[in-house]
Amino acid sequence: MKKAPETNPATGKKDMVWFALNDDRSLFAFAGIWTEFRGDRGTKSKPIPGSHLVYGFLTIAANAVVETDTP
C-alpha cells in the first residue's frame, strides 16, 4: 500500500493505494510481520499514545520479471 500521487479533492489528503499486478488481476500481497507497538504514534505535535498494531515488510530492487518498462 502506498499514498496516491494526487490529493483526493474530497478529503484534501492523499489516499492509500493497494498494490495489484495489473488491472485484470487481483490484489498483490507482500509477506511481512505484524507486531504490537506500545508507545506514541502519529506526529510529534499530535502523538497517539497506546497499543498499536504495526506491519513491516522488506523489499529490494525489482528484478526483470516485475520491473516496469518505463523509466
Side-chain angles (χ1 to χ4, degrees):
M1 193 163 61
K2 68 177 187 172
K3 289 197 176 193
E6 302 296 325
T7 302
N8 180 330
T11 64
K13 297 180 180 181
K14 291 186 176 184
D15 293 331
M16 298 306 289
V17 178
W18 292 96
F19 290 99
L21 297 175
N22 63 38
D23 290 340
D24 298 328
R25 296 176 74 183
S26 61
L27 296 177
F28 186 74
F30 290 96
I33 299 172
W34 282 102
T35 191
E36 181 180 11
F37 169 74
R38 293 178 187 204
D40 291 344
R41 298 264 335 238
T43 63
K44 288 182 180 180
S45 63
K46 295 181 182 178
I48 303 168
S51 176
H52 309 276
L53 292 177
V54 294
Y55 179 77
F57 59 90
L58 177 66
T59 62
I60 60 172
N63 65 20
V65 174
V66 296
E67 71 183 351
T68 61
D69 292 333
T70 56

